[in-house]
Amino acid sequence: MTDYNLIFGAVLLFNIAVTFRASSYYKKYFPSPNDSTKNTSSEETSSVAQSEELAPLSGDSFRDNDKEKGDVDLEHGSDPPADSTAVNAASDNAANIRHAQLLRKYLIVYLLAALSDWLQGPYVYALYDAYGYSQHDIAVLFVAGFGSSMVFGSFIGGMADQCGRRKFIILFAIIYALSCMTKHFKSFSILMNGRLLGGVATSLLFSVFEAWLIGAHASAGLMSHIGKAFSTAQYGNSIIAIVAGQIANKAANHVEFKPFSEGSGFYTGGYLGPFDVSLLALILCGLLAIALWD
């Protein structure tokens, strides 16, 4: 039998290597000889320019130059301008540091939210089927979830902008956690409520997180870095999807699927494993949003 874990691992390592090679981090940690030559030439040119500026002038030339300098200082009442290149470099470096800190805070929370979503996806249908529901009943449950996302997604983003994005991200974690908890019950009405809650949570996942990221960049004056932030988040999301698939597969086969007690409508184990892991990820996501986000 084909070892898909080995294939996924090899593809993931190849993807990481190609992405790293194409990023600016590769040039930072593995500079090419041409870059070193350019830096050396720039330093030599700068040294020559400084030497020429500091070279003493003799006779009338020195006095004329000094007089002109004094006239300019008196006329404008200010010192000569500082080296703008050095100032810009320092400013860019400070902006990069602030952006790295902001991006770390965002990714820790966002990737946990994405993990919770990826863990559930492959096992929703399998769980309903294990409960013994017909394809028609399962279709009704799925349509209810998609319909809920469609309805709430049209206005929930605007509500988050008015009431606070961090509050709605915490609300996302609570709602999605409740949706996971309903999966333990065989009751169709409880599962229906869980699908409705899941639709609301999905709308929040694909709107509020990005809104917070844009708002945080705007407040910090880092809008020029927003493209890099989104590309990093999406790349991390793709890796999380692969990792979630592996974790969910292990969780689904770890314990036997059975009722909590004989004749009980509350079930544990089996396909409920991924939802339990997702519940833990959501709790951690909400707590970190409270601790790290503004």
Side-chain angles (χ1 to χ4, degrees), residues 188-263:
F188 186 85
S189 60
I190 295 178
L191 292 175
M192 175 63 73
N193 288 326
R195 287 297 298 172
L196 296 175
L197 291 173
V200 177
T202 302
S203 299
L204 289 169
L205 175 61
F206 293 104
S207 60
V208 181
F209 283 84
E210 294 180 356
W212 184 92
L213 182 63
I214 295 173
H217 275 72
S219 299
L222 298 171
M223 287 303 293
S224 60
H225 294 72
I226 192 68
K228 181 179 179 181
F230 275 115
S231 63
T232 304
Q234 291 306 311
Y235 182 72
N237 187 29
S238 64
I239 295 177
I240 285 295
I242 299 173
V243 174
Q246 301 298 311
I247 296 175
N249 182 58
K250 299 292 184 182
N253 296 288
H254 184 64
V255 182
E256 181 185 0
F257 179 70
K258 61 182 180 180
F260 185 74
S261 60
E262 187 176 353

Side-chain angles (χ1 to χ4, degrees), residues 45-57 65:
T45 304
S46 177
S47 299
V48 171
Q50 290 178 0
S51 299
E52 291 178 353
E53 291 176 359
L54 296 175
L57 298 175
N65 185 50

Side-chain angles (χ1 to χ4, degrees), residues 11 26 31 54 67 113 121 133 138 141 176 178 191 207 220 222 250 261 268 274 281:
V11 172
Y26 182 85
L54 296 175
K67 181 179 179 181
Y133 288 107
I138 296 174
L141 289 170
Y176 221 1
L178 291 174
L191 292 175
S207 60
L222 298 171
K250 299 292 184 182
S261 60
T268 60

Side-chain angles (χ1 to χ4, degrees), residues 5-19 235-236 238-240 242-243 246:
N5 291 333
L6 181 61
I7 294 175
F8 277 129
V11 172
L12 178 60
L13 290 176
F14 176 76
N15 192 355
I16 292 174
V18 172
T19 304
Y235 182 72
S238 64
I239 295 177
I240 285 295
I242 299 173
V243 174
Q246 301 298 311

